[in-house]
Amino acid sequence: MIEALGYFIEILKGALITARHFIVNMVFHILKVIGIKTKRKGAVTIQYPEQRKELARRHRSLHRLTKREDGKPRCVSCMLCVTVCPSECITVEASEDPDPEIQKVPAKFIIDLSRCCFCGFCVEACPEDAIRMDTNIIEASEYARGDLYYDLSKLLK
Amino acid sequence: MDFWIVLIKIVCALVWFLVLTLYLTWAERKESAVIQDRIGANRASIFGLRMIGLFQPFADAIKMVFKEDFIPPFANRFLHTLAPFLSFFFVAITVCAMPFGDTLNIGGRSISLQVLDLNAGLLFVLAMLSLGIYGIILSGWASRNRFTLLGGIRGAAQLISYEVALGLSLIGIVMVYPSLRLQDIVFFQGQNLFGWLPRWGVLLQPLGFVVFFLAALAETKRVPFDLPEGESEIIGFFTEYGGLKWGMFMMTDFMEIIIVSCLATTLFFGGWQVPWMGSDGFHFPWGGAWLLPHGLVVLFQLLAFNIKVVFFCWLQILIRWTYPRYRYDQLMDLGWKVLIPLSLLNIIGTGLVMGFLK
């Protein structure tokens, strides 16, 4: 009987905790409505499309291919990123470059974003610093599935 | 003329009931959000005017109306359609027995602010509330789906274990205020204990109130006792429903919250009585009076009733967002082994005290 009473008290305590949350948050909401600025806010929500959280400096967002001074891609088609990619979403096709210093350039460089898991291994593997994931674009969405094959023209932007 | 008065009263009561139901869905979303440090639904807008999501119930309603009215091919068409209407009807009709206020004297007439002044109003409300289970059993049965049937049976089992405690817990109230007429019960609560304490039911029947409130929570079939429905994991009785029919079951839930709040207010918290307010204004126990015109008194009574009802709705939503669900056997234990003995104890205790005081 005494044990049951103990449970009952704990149940009441639980209700008091939620009631406290309600009242405290409500006070801050009301203060905001009547225009009093407070340090604490009533809700921790970030209203996403209008407000954005600042991305971390090392955040892995949409890929981009870096360029040389003359605008050509830095990629030399060494296929390291293709090899390391765990979801096998990168396709590279090499072609010859007239410059003997460079030797190879990618004729095709396709990232299938519908398979990419954003692990960042391609960035780590690249010896030429040709691919980076620092565009801060996090809404890589398209209306058709085929549009998720990002090729050179999209990645070099 | 009498006919028109009755008609206007019915329309007013129903509009009050449905608007409160509609906004209770909004309040539930907002209150749960505030409890969990969120903001809640605030995107529904009309021409960019958001109004903290006040248009959300209308958006929900439009969505539900335009959904496909689907009846599974294996279900019984007639019963499947009838079930949500039954469950809706039996809850919606209970509001007519609720006393919203005392009489309103207007143009030489005195109008009782109650749609239907029944001598056995309390019994009527309890009967209609328990008839609502037919909608649930029927929906589970007519869907011809084993899981919905199990949901319906769980609902019936829960109802049986709580209806008894609910009825027994109210016997104490009927003993203290010797009437089954809801208006009479409210009148008796207008008197004062020891000359200053309002003679509310919760002060005379504290144990009765606890048992009543727990049983009534089980009656609404919401979260600590949501076995028939179990929206998160176990499958409930309205699995095979969609669109507006599902919406009617959902509305029934919210209407039951309001009815339970109305009952708790009327029976245990003085109904439309404002402490120390008579029919002509306030008479304070420390002497002195503040006389008010008749219209203002009626307004105060209506306000008092509404504030109390809204408070209990708030409390029930708080409870729903605080506790996890009871297990089936725990629920039966609570009903049969705790609440019924407690309510019997309450009856005996009330009888003894009344006998000694006589």
Side-chain angles (χ1 to χ4, degrees):
Chain A
M1 189 65 204
I2 287 170
E3 204 186 353
L5 205 67
Y7 289 143
F8 194 67
I9 288 169
E10 292 300 321
I11 285 173
L12 283 185
K13 268 188 192 169
L16 284 179
I17 287 172
T18 41
R20 191 191 71 211
H21 269 259
F22 179 82
I23 291 164
V24 169
N25 288 334
M26 212 57 207
V27 166
F28 283 110
H29 281 308
I30 290 167
L31 283 181
K32 193 189 163 199
V33 167
I34 54 178
I36 295 172
K37 284 248 161 69
T38 48
K39 209 169 159 193
R40 214 188 119 174
K41 281 179 184 155
V44 293
T45 312
I46 296 170
Q47 300 269 318
Y48 166 60
E50 295 95 26
Q51 295 172 12
R52 277 154 195 266
K53 198 178 162 190
E54 204 179 312
L55 294 175
R57 276 183 56 224
R58 297 186 56 188
H59 183 96
R60 296 194 293 271
S61 46
L62 187 67
H63 319 68
R64 73 182 169 99
L65 292 180
T66 51
K67 296 175 192 167
R68 296 172 197 278
E69 286 82 36
D70 58 354
K72 282 195 277 187
R74 291 182 76 95
C75 178
V76 292
S77 309
C78 65
M79 302 296 224
L80 276 177
C81 52
V82 181
T83 315
V84 82
C85 182
S87 44
E88 300 181 349
C89 65
I90 307 179
T91 314
V92 179
E93 214 168 84
S95 69
E96 207 169 328
D97 193 89
D99 187 349
E101 292 284 308
I102 305 174
Q103 291 187 355
K104 282 202 286 184
V105 284
K108 263 188 197 169
F109 193 109
I110 296 171
I111 298 179
D112 181 0
L113 281 184
S114 63
R115 297 183 62 162
C116 178
C117 64
F118 290 88
C119 61
F121 283 5
C122 47
V123 181
E124 301 293 330
C126 187
E128 294 285 317
D129 193 18
I131 185 166
R132 288 190 189 177
M133 296 177 80
D134 59 355
T135 50
N136 280 2
I137 296 170
I138 49 173
E139 302 115 331
S141 54
E142 302 286 348
Y143 284 105
R145 190 175 291 175
D147 294 348
L148 280 170
Y149 294 95
Y150 274 41
D151 55 8
L152 271 177
S153 62
K154 273 184 179 168
L155 290 170
L156 272 173
K157 222 177 261 171
Chain B
M1 192 63 198
D2 283 343
F3 170 76
W4 289 109
I5 288 174
V6 170
L7 196 71
I8 289 169
K9 281 203 287 195
I10 290 173
V11 169
C12 283
L14 270 184
V15 165
W16 175 84
F17 200 27
L18 291 178
V19 168
L20 200 56
T21 310
L22 215 57
Y23 274 97
L24 213 55
T25 61
W26 174 81
E28 162 134 339
R29 295 172 128 191
K30 280 295 194 191
E31 189 181 334
S32 64
V34 173
I35 286 171
Q36 297 169 352
D37 304 350
R38 296 184 284 116
I39 289 179
N42 65 349
R43 296 272 155 178
S45 62
I46 293 181
F47 303 122
L49 188 68
R50 276 197 191 165
M51 299 275 293
I52 56 169
L54 275 177
F55 301 120
Q56 189 68 41
F58 296 101
D60 289 343
I62 290 170
K63 186 198 84 172
M64 278 194 289
V65 168
F66 283 102
K67 269 194 163 184
E68 186 190 358
D69 181 20
F70 183 72
I71 298 173
F74 42 81
N76 183 324
R77 286 188 75 85
F78 176 68
L79 292 181
H80 187 271
T81 314
L82 182 69
F85 288 95
L86 266 189
S87 122
F88 185 84
F89 170 78
F90 284 126
V91 180
I93 201 170
T94 42
V95 77
C96 70
M98 294 300 163
F100 288 88
D102 202 2
T103 49
L104 173 67
N105 296 320
I106 190 163
R109 285 170 179 279
S110 59
I111 302 164
S112 165
L113 294 179
Q114 189 183 15
V115 177
L116 189 62
D117 197 356
L118 284 170
N119 280 332
L122 184 56
L123 292 184
F124 172 76
V125 172
L126 288 181
M128 287 301 147
L129 275 182
S130 45
L131 276 177
I133 195 67
Y134 278 103
I136 286 163
I137 297 174
L138 215 56
S139 66
W141 180 255
S143 302
R144 208 175 283 178
N145 173 331
R146 287 160 191 85
F147 292 107
T148 58
L149 181 59
L150 282 176
I153 288 173
R154 279 199 302 268
Q158 179 175 326
L159 181 103
I160 289 169
S161 40
Y162 281 93
E163 202 66 26
V164 182
L166 189 72
L168 287 177
S169 70
L170 292 181
I171 288 181
I173 280 286
V174 179
M175 285 161 83
V176 176
Y177 311 116
S179 171
L180 284 170
R181 196 171 149 241
L182 290 172
Q183 197 72 276
D184 277 352
I185 293 177
V186 178
F187 272 127
F188 278 116
Q189 297 185 60
Q191 300 159 354
N192 286 341
L193 272 180
F194 318 121
W196 60 276
L197 202 58
R199 200 161 166 264
W200 285 1
V202 69
L203 298 173
L204 303 180
Q205 291 281 321
L207 188 59
F209 174 67
V210 171
V211 175
F212 164 80
F213 198 61
L214 283 176
L217 275 181
E219 183 89 18
T220 57
K221 302 183 284 295
R222 276 159 60 81
V223 157
F225 308 100
D226 69 335
L227 287 167
E229 178 184 326
E231 43 183 18
S232 47
E233 55 287 304
I234 54 177
I235 302 172
F237 56 90
F238 51 56
T239 310
E240 300 287 350
Y241 286 86
L244 202 57
K245 286 180 194 160
W246 175 85
M248 285 177 91
F249 277 121
M250 216 57 207
M251 259 176 98
T252 313
D253 265 15
F254 284 101
M255 287 162 108
E256 270 176 345
I257 298 177
I258 297 172
I259 286 300
V260 165
S261 306
C262 286
L263 264 187
T265 304
T266 308
L267 299 174
F268 291 96
F269 283 84
W272 42 259
Q273 298 276 9
V274 187
W276 312 312
M277 195 178 83
S279 57
D280 56 346
F282 287 96
H283 295 276
F284 297 113
W286 53 86
W290 182 30
L291 298 181
L292 293 168
H294 175 71
L296 220 52
V297 169
V298 173
L299 194 70
F300 268 131
Q301 288 170 348
L302 287 174
L303 262 182
F305 183 77
N306 277 292
I307 287 171
K308 289 170 190 173
V309 167
V310 167
F311 171 77
F312 275 103
C313 293
W314 175 82
L315 189 65
Q316 287 185 61
I317 295 174
L318 183 84
I319 287 168
R320 186 235 183 278
W321 287 96
T322 303
Y323 301 124
R325 182 188 306 132
Y326 262 81
R327 215 170 54 212
Y328 197 51
D329 58 324
Q330 289 173 331
L331 179 114
M332 296 292 146
D333 273 2
L334 186 69
W336 292 108
K337 293 188 190 163
V338 179
L339 290 186
I340 291 178
L342 274 181
S343 54
L344 289 175
L345 199 73
N346 183 42
I347 294 171
I348 295 168
T350 310
L352 286 177
V353 170
M354 285 174 75
F356 282 127
L357 287 181
K358 204 158 248 180

